[in-house]
């Protein structure tokens, strides 16, 4: 049990003194049963841990590989209690865990990550303030509750300007770009109504539009001892606001890579992180870096580590939560991770079944990861391919010309 004070901002992460070592054979509870939980469980089972997951849908991606599942809502007190009692330690695979749920779990079991960081990253304003307080460059922002606030922000940041909801936005949802002054009133009125601002009295956030050249991410792990390890920086390419490719090595200068790495470490230390945080950044033409977003968990842009690094992000997460020494994150091979959405599967399966996706045909290796989701809906993340080889251009060229990702 965590003998910690639970306050308004959630449960703090454990300190070095409070931390326990969780040994193989113990059961790790994962709150959330999606692909991130599944891949964490696969990595952890290789290390001898057992897993239980809490998720409302039976036979979810994580439950298919875990030792057990509690089928129930994330905020159902009975389900939470049963899940906690079956777990020696609890972690989470998604961000929208309510603080009350974390507090309830902590009453029964060990929750080394706490819930403070979840509380911070659940809200864009809190998140950006935390990044600012860590002393690293963040996309300039202002809170917006009224049209006047928005006009003020436009005076400071100019046009275009990005207006986002503070909660609930992901994969490009919950944001709008205002490009012309004639659009200000109408867009604000529409967006404020459609978002939670009016209904839930949550402010919006206005951000300076960053004319970035590239998007990149750094995943950093930290254990309760305060040891940190970063993974190689990945260059990320999105399509329709969903991650499409992660390319590693990034091809950025050593100086850019070092600055990005130091930003991630500063954030991890400032947040007293236990586990992983993915730091998403913009890189501009003059070499400036701005933090856009944090994700306090394994991240899609780190899936390449499964086949290309000595230690994967999932194993690293297990090590950090269990207070074990962090693993070597060295890159073993250049890699391109490409996401597989619902609409990509039929053609992929066709090529796969015909034996066409063979290393012999292309000179690079195909490592397929699928998440066991039943329904291949358009836009739904079903899996990913890690292409492993020496020639990044060749791998990217193949993806670009393949009919699998045509739409
Ligand atoms: P987000 O939901 O904050 O991750 O934003 C989704 C995408 O919108 C980012 O990956 C960027 O491509 C774009 N975007 C978000 N914020 C900004 C910004 N301040 N300036 C320029 N583009 C942005």
């Amino acid at each position: 049990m965590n003998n910690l004070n639970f306050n308004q901002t959630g449960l703090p992460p454990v300190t070095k003194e409070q931390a326990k070592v969780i040994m193989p054979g113990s059961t790790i509870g994962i709150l959330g049963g999606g692909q991130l939980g599944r891949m964490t469980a696969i990595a952890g089972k290789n290390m001898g841990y057992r897993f239980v997951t809490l998720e409302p849908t039976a036979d979810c991606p994580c439950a298919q590989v875990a030792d057990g599942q509690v089928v129930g809502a994330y905020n159902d007190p009975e389900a939470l209690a049963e899940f906690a009692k079956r777990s020696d330690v609890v972690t989470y695979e998604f961000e929208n865990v309510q603080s009350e749920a974390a507090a309830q779990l902590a009453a029964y079991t060990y929750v080394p990550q706490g819930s403070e960081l979840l509380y911070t990253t659940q809200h864009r304003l809190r998140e950006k303030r935390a990044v600012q307080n860590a002393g690293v460059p963040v996309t300039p922002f202002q809170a917006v509750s009224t049209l006047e606030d928005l006009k003020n922000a436009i005076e400071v940041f100019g046009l275009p300007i990005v207006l986002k909801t503070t909660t609930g936005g992901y994969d490009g949802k919950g944001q709008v770009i205002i490009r012309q002054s004639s659009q200000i009133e109408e867009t604000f009125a529409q967006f404020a109504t459609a978002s939670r601002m009016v209904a839930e009295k949550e402010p919006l956030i206005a951000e300076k539009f960053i004319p970035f050249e590239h998007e990149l991410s750094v995943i950093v792990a930290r254990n309760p001892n305060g040891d940190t390890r970063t993974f190689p920086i990945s260059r990320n390419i999105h399509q329709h606001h969903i991650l499409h490719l992660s390319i590693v090595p990034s091809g950025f200068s050593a100086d850019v890579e070092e600055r990005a790495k130091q930003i991630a470490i500063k954030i991890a230390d400032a947040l007293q992180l236990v586990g992983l945080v993915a730091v998403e950044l913009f890189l501009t033409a003059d070499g400036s870096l701005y933090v856009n977003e944090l994700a306090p968990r394994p991240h899609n842009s780190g899936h390449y580590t499964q086949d290309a690094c000595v230690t994967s992000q999932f194993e690293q997460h297990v090590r950090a939560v269990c207070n074990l020494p962090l693993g070597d994150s060295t890159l073993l091979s250049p890699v391109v991770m490409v996401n597989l959405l619902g609409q990509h599967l039929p053609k992929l399966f066709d090529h796969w079944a015909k034996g066409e996706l063979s290393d012999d045909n292309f000179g690079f290796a195909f490592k397929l990861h699928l998440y066991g989701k039943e329904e291949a809906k358009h836009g739904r993340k079903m899996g990913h391919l890690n292409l492993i080889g020496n020639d990044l251009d060749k791998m990217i060229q193949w993806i670009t010309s393949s009919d699998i990702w045509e739409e």
Side-chain angles (χ1 to χ4, degrees):
M1 196 194 286
N2 272 335
N3 293 317
L4 299 171
N5 291 330
F6 183 80
N7 53 37
Q8 206 210 335
T9 58
L11 188 73
V14 291
T15 61
K16 185 176 175 173
E17 291 70 33
Q18 293 160 331
K20 298 197 267 188
V21 176
I22 305 291
M23 288 300 283
S26 309
T27 299
I28 300 177
I30 303 184
L31 191 56
Q35 65 262 26
L36 301 175
R38 175 188 178 96
M39 292 185 275
T40 303
I42 290 171
K45 285 188 79 82
N46 281 333
M47 301 161 78
Y49 290 96
R50 291 174 170 275
F51 284 86
V52 59
T53 181
L54 172 65
E55 169 69 37
T57 314
D59 196 38
C60 59
C62 185
Q64 292 168 24
V65 303
D67 301 273
Q69 174 178 10
V70 176
V71 179
Y74 310 128
N75 57 359
D76 171 356
E78 269 176 44
L80 281 164
E82 190 198 336
F83 167 67
K85 284 174 190 165
R86 286 169 63 177
S87 308
D88 297 305
V89 56
V90 161
T91 182
Y92 44 78
E93 62 120 44
F94 69 111
E95 279 130 282
N96 291 321
V97 182
Q98 297 307 311
S99 294
E100 300 76 35
Q104 217 199 327
L105 291 171
Y108 294 105
T109 188
Y110 176 56
V111 189
Q113 297 173 279
S115 64
E116 244 177 27
L117 181 54
L118 294 170
Y119 176 80
T120 302
T121 56
Q122 275 162 8
H123 193 281
R124 283 189 201 270
L125 273 171
R126 291 200 288 263
E127 177 176 280
K128 288 218 151 60
R129 285 178 187 138
V131 173
Q132 207 169 37
N133 290 341
V136 301
V138 62
T139 314
F141 65 96
Q142 280 190 12
V144 165
S145 294
T146 62
L147 182 60
E148 274 309 296
D149 293 343
L150 176 60
K151 286 184 176 168
N152 259 329
I154 291 171
E155 245 169 57
V156 180
F157 302 143
L159 287 175
I161 198 163
V162 187
L163 195 59
K164 299 181 181 177
T165 55
T166 40
T167 58
Y170 65 95
D171 286 344
K173 294 187 178 72
Q175 64 168 279
V176 65
I177 298 178
I178 303 175
R179 295 183 187 279
Q180 283 155 12
S181 42
S182 60
Q183 300 172 325
I184 300 171
E185 271 89 4
E186 199 188 330
T187 311
F188 177 75
Q190 279 174 0
F191 193 71
T193 312
S195 72
R196 295 161 187 231
M197 191 188 99
V198 173
E200 297 181 16
K201 298 195 168 50
E202 279 292 344
L204 300 172
I205 179 168
E207 289 181 14
K208 187 179 164 77
F209 179 84
I210 307 292
F212 60 82
E213 286 207 322
H214 296 287
E215 294 188 78
L216 56 143
S217 56
V218 192
I219 295 172
V220 57
R222 187 174 177 281
N223 66 15
N225 265 333
D227 306 324
T228 55
R229 278 274 162 92
T230 54
F231 284 96
I233 280 122
S234 123
R235 175 155 60 96
N236 300 326
I237 295 174
H238 295 82
Q239 264 182 5
H240 311 298
H241 293 293
I242 299 176
L243 183 66
H244 176 46
L245 305 180
S246 289
I247 302 164
V248 190
S250 69
F252 304 133
S253 67
D255 167 60
V256 166
E257 289 217 335
E258 184 57 28
R259 278 187 289 130
K261 177 178 162 177
Q262 293 309 327
I263 285 172
I265 292 174
K266 261 189 154 175
I267 291 173
D269 283 337
L271 298 171
Q272 296 289 291
L273 173 74
V274 173
L276 300 185
V277 72
V279 181
E280 294 186 68
L281 300 126
F282 297 142
L283 174 64
T284 58
D286 67 0
S288 302
L289 286 166
Y290 298 90
V291 174
N292 173 41
E293 245 189 344
L294 305 181
R297 50 168 172 75
H299 191 253
N300 196 168
S301 69
H303 291 357
Y304 78 86
T305 61
Q306 289 173 306
D307 299 302
C309 289
V310 176
T311 305
S312 75
Q313 63 165 346
F314 302 104
E315 177 179 339
Q316 199 75 301
H317 180 69
V318 170
R319 286 175 180 242
V321 166
C322 293
N323 200 14
L324 297 173
L326 297 177
D328 182 350
S329 55
T330 304
L331 188 71
L332 297 170
S333 166
V335 55
V336 180
M337 188 284 319
V338 55
N339 264 337
L340 295 165
L341 308 180
Q343 66 270 31
H344 303 142
L345 286 196
K347 283 182 182 144
L348 172 90
F349 281 169
D350 190 39
H351 293 301
W352 191 259
K354 287 181 182 150
E356 289 165 11
L357 304 186
S358 128
D359 312 1
D360 302 337
N361 291 350
F362 296 95
F364 50 82
F366 291 83
K367 301 292 283 183
L368 177 62
H369 300 262
L370 291 174
Y371 310 147
K373 295 182 186 176
E374 220 166 88
E375 217 187 323
K377 284 191 209 153
H378 195 276
R380 189 178 197 197
K381 289 178 182 170
M382 301 299 290
H384 61 273
L385 265 178
N386 285 332
L387 304 183
I388 305 286
N390 288 324
D391 191 339
L392 282 177
D393 288 341
K394 198 166 152 187
M395 297 191 279
I396 296 167
Q397 177 55 38
W398 175 74
I399 294 165
T400 311
S401 58
S402 166
D403 60 357
I404 298 172
W405 294 275
E406 255 171 9
E407 48 150 350

